[in-house]
Amino acid sequence: MATMHDVARLAQVSVSTVSYVLTGTRPISQATRNKVLAAMAQLEYQPNAMARGLASRRSRILGLLMPMDERGLGATETAFVTGAAAAASVAGYHLVLSPVGGGDLDDLRRLASQRMLDGVVLMEVQLADERVTVLQEAGVPLVLIGRTGDTSTLSYVDIDFDQTVREAVAHLVGLGHRRIVYVNHSAATLASGYGPALRTRDAFTAAMTGHGLEPVMIAAEDSAAGGRAALAAAFAQAPELTAVLAMNETAIFGILGELTGRGLSVPDDVSVVSMVTSPQVAELATPALTAMTSPGSALGRIAIEALTRHLDGPADLRHQQLLPCTLEIRGSTAQPRSRHPLGADQ
Amino acid sequence: MATMHDVARLAQVSVSTVSYVLTGTRPISQATRNKVLAAMAQLEYQPNAMARGLASRRSRILGLLMPMDERGLGATETAFVTGAAAAASVAGYHLVLSPVGGGDLDDLRRLASQRMLDGVVLMEVQLADERVTVLQEAGVPLVLIGRTGDTSTLSYVDIDFDQTVREAVAHLVGLGHRRIVYVNHSAATLASGYGPALRTRDAFTAAMTGHGLEPVMIAAEDSAAGGRAALAAAFAQAPELTAVLAMNETAIFGILGELTGRGLSVPDDVSVVSMVTSPQVAELATPALTAMTSPGSALGRIAIEALTRHLDGPADLRHQQLLPCTLEIRGSTAQPRSRHPLGADQ
DNA sequence: CCGCTTCGTCGAAACGCTTCGACGAAGTTC
DNA sequence: GAACTTCGTCGAAGCGTTTCGACGAAGCGG
């Protein structure tokens, strides 16, 4: 492994000159630069990241902290990661993903305090999230995906749930649906303060009320069985429902199965819209699901851009931004059966 | 940020003594140790990872290189990652995931040569994989998930496809099925030298021939539409088929949809077995899929253990191991319709 | 009680880089 | 052409650890 010393000796310049060629922090004549570059090439020189990091006090590594639960990463999260990695690369940083589990706050504290990471993007933020506190105390620059309850002091990027729900509801209402049930995450998830679940709940209530309709929400476990149970509950609460809006990517397969099981057809008897869903998952279902597609890759890019601006720029500016999901109409929504063809009230 | 110097001063010992307390490389008296530990606690000392890495020439960071395609990470891969992370933590290493894209071999070379990673686990290895060459040339300790064509010189952990296919076929044959179609990945994937696709193809041929049956394989695109097309092709080639064995987690939903579309019931008319599938995905389908569950978490653990042994132990031993998937019977397999109730040949 | 290990600790030299101050040489300003 | 800048380069001092050699102080066999 060649070091800077070797390069300097071969190019007959001082070590610092080699460093300046590499970092561009001071002007270097073209002739010298060429000599140094040639020496580097000849020796296949690669700078040692540790030494660089120690001397400059920055690693040029960004961390993406993602809780890995057993559900896995959907296409949405993957798009997010690739978008983030690309943006980091453009800014001259490496991105590493760290699968931090839920419990190990100490582990997180260690990771953050060891100065290995110049900055961090934190995914799946809860309304009250201890991890944010730990990271802030450790003084690590931070961008959130999602929002804590108190959004005032931090940078974040998040989905505009309000807008997303409003658009989904508008699509269904526009088709003529009046009885729309919202299938959310589980009651436990709601109670734990999971932002997306709470925000969509409120947005749904607001959107339906805005249309003069009654909001009905069902909490469903994150499983196919949970979806089946939720649909049963939905029919119990609103027997005349004609549309289901679902936030729960796992439960939705149970909902579809149960619908078919009851001899109801999608979309002729019941329309289904899936929220915050990737095209890949939407296409798995038969019929393919009309869905609100999440802006995964843009979300990742924006988060990293905000973080690097935070690091390279001098200011401690905040970046707070919401991105809506976009409606993609596929085969699972249609006008309700002819009873209300033009959206007349029942 | 307190440094070792601060700790040493407060504890009234030398810097090296503090280091020995931390690393345990030399004996330290109980009294001194306590003084040092107290000082550390008081100052909330956290060792600087860069300095440590520079001086010791090891970062205690392991990399998991995973190509991130748009499909996302299934529950299988997730289990793999969490298994690996847990094992790394036990061995005193951090695990970071690096989403290396397909094209950027230079990026990989840089990452590998900068000595930031003590060792690397490489996922989704192709039969002929340039990444392996790059990593080997950079001198990075390496464990593969999957195998290259020439397995002689490297450490790897992989699924025992032979055994897995044999067990799946045995299950179906045991139920009385004689006409079994294997739905593999796409022709393009096969042509690209994707090991699992090729190995299962050969294993399927061997297993069927071993039972005196004719092997029929269909290549399917990785999409629901691909699955539907594959099923049509299967019926064209083997009209009397009673069972489908599928390797393709995405296509299988199309297969199920098409089966239902043709008015055929699962499992009464056609049995379906999904290969290398996680329970979570298997449960999404209606009926839940009988599947060969991959040993994800064990695979990750074993890979990391092999790698750390490679690093800490002196020997340059190879670790080569195959793990079979386990059969989990759910609702998608049954005896074929009464025509052949006891497995009589047609 | 004398020479020998073993124990516990220290000081100093790396590790490979960045960055600061200095300093000739050359260019600019009046 | 004297007094300043700016340019291009160098040497040296860190950055915060680990690790090596050294060295008193005990402990021990004879």
Side-chain angles (χ1 to χ4, degrees), chain B residues 309-318:
Chain B
R309 220 177 302 128
H310 204 170
L311 295 173
D312 296 331
D316 58 348
L317 63 174
R318 300 184 210 323

Side-chain angles (χ1 to χ4, degrees), chain B residues 14 16-17 26-27 29 32 55 57:
Chain B
S14 76
S16 45
T17 302
R26 284 204 186 173
S29 73
T32 310
R57 275 167 293 295

Side-chain angles (χ1 to χ4, degrees), chain A residues 1-85:
Chain A
M1 251 341 69
T3 75
M4 236 173 180
H5 265 95
D6 304 328
V7 175
R9 194 178 324 124
L10 182 58
Q12 312 201 60
V13 297
S14 76
V15 190
S16 44
T17 301
V18 177
S19 174
Y20 294 133
V21 168
L22 223 47
T23 60
T25 43
R26 284 205 186 172
I28 294 287
S29 74
Q30 198 49 251
T32 310
R33 182 192 311 282
N34 290 148
K35 270 196 306 183
V36 171
L37 259 18
M40 282 182 180
Q42 186 178 333
L43 296 174
E44 296 187 7
Y45 169 73
Q46 287 290 129
N48 179 307
M50 296 278 174
R52 209 190 245 264
L54 179 58
S56 66
R57 277 167 292 291
R58 37 191 1 211
S59 62
R60 304 210 69 89
I61 297 181
L62 267 26
L64 183 54
L65 270 34
M66 40 170 43
M68 282 271 192
D69 53 13
E70 60 291 340
R71 264 207 310 288
L73 263 57
T76 299
E77 286 91 341
T78 309
F80 179 88
V81 170
T82 52

Side-chain angles (χ1 to χ4, degrees), chain B residues 15-345:
Chain B
V15 190
S16 45
T17 302
V18 177
S19 176
Y20 293 134
V21 168
L22 224 46
T23 61
T25 43
R26 284 204 186 173
I28 295 287
S29 73
Q30 199 48 252
T32 310
R33 181 192 312 280
N34 290 150
K35 270 197 305 185
V36 171
L37 258 20
M40 283 183 180
Q42 187 178 332
L43 296 173
E44 296 187 7
Y45 169 73
Q46 288 288 130
N48 179 307
M50 296 280 177
R52 211 193 246 263
L54 178 58
S56 65
R57 275 167 293 295
R58 35 191 5 212
S59 62
R60 304 211 71 89
I61 297 180
L62 266 24
L64 184 53
L65 271 35
M66 38 170 44
M68 281 271 194
D69 53 13
E70 60 291 341
R71 263 206 311 288
L73 265 57
T76 299
E77 286 90 340
T78 308
F80 179 88
V81 170
T82 51
S89 176
V90 166
Y93 286 85
H94 271 296
L95 183 73
V96 305
L97 321 195
S98 191
V100 289
D104 43 8
L105 239 48
D106 277 343
D107 206 33
L108 182 61
R109 187 172 291 117
R110 211 167 312 122
L111 197 67
S113 311
Q114 291 191 151
R115 308 275 124 200
M116 188 100 285
L117 265 24
D118 284 354
V120 155
V121 175
L122 189 59
M123 288 182 76
E124 296 284 335
V125 177
Q126 306 285 111
L127 284 186
D129 204 313
E130 290 181 283
R131 300 176 300 162
V132 174
T133 323
V134 168
L135 257 12
Q136 282 197 120
E137 276 171 2
V140 182
L142 188 59
V143 171
L144 310 181
I145 306 302
R147 285 163 279 171
T148 50
D150 171 18
T151 62
S152 54
T153 71
L154 289 159
S155 289
Y156 65 80
V157 190
D158 200 359
I159 290 172
D160 187 339
F161 291 105
D162 213 62
Q163 163 70 16
T164 300
V165 170
R166 202 179 312 130
E167 194 170 338
V169 169
H171 170 61
L172 289 171
V173 170
L175 285 170
H177 296 274
R178 320 305 287 166
R179 281 304 256 177
I180 304 171
V181 172
Y182 178 47
V183 177
N184 204 331
H185 286 287
S186 71
T189 305
L190 280 159
S192 78
Y194 183 57
L198 294 171
R199 293 203 169 88
T200 50
R201 178 193 61 190
D202 298 344
F204 179 71
T205 306
M208 290 295 279
T209 312
H211 285 286
L213 301 173
E214 187 196 341
V216 179
M217 187 190 88
I218 309 280
E221 299 298 322
D222 285 8
S223 68
R228 279 191 285 273
L231 193 75
F235 271 113
Q237 275 197 44
E240 72 285 21
L241 74 86
T242 62
V244 173
L245 178 61
M247 173 67 166
N248 193 317
E249 246 186 43
T250 325
I252 204 155
F253 286 91
I255 293 173
L256 293 173
E258 180 72 11
L259 244 16
T260 311
R262 291 176 176 237
L264 293 170
S265 119
V266 175
D268 295 330
D269 293 309
V270 177
S271 285
V272 175
V273 175
S274 182
M275 297 256 309
V276 193
T277 301
S278 66
Q280 286 82 356
V281 171
E283 300 281 2
L284 282 186
T286 312
L289 294 168
T290 294
M292 304 301 299
T293 299
S294 72
S297 153
L299 224 44
R301 183 173 46 72
I302 291 171
I304 292 293
E305 283 170 358
L307 187 55
T308 53
R309 220 177 302 128
H310 204 170
L311 295 173
D312 296 331
D316 58 348
L317 63 174
R318 300 184 210 323
H319 184 98
Q320 308 190 329
Q321 185 174 1
L322 298 181
L323 268 62
C325 296
T326 53
L327 174 66
E328 292 193 357
I329 299 174
R330 298 195 183 80
S332 69
T333 50
Q335 292 189 357
R337 280 228 191 273
S338 47
R339 286 193 323 210
H340 325 290
L342 291 169
D345 214 332

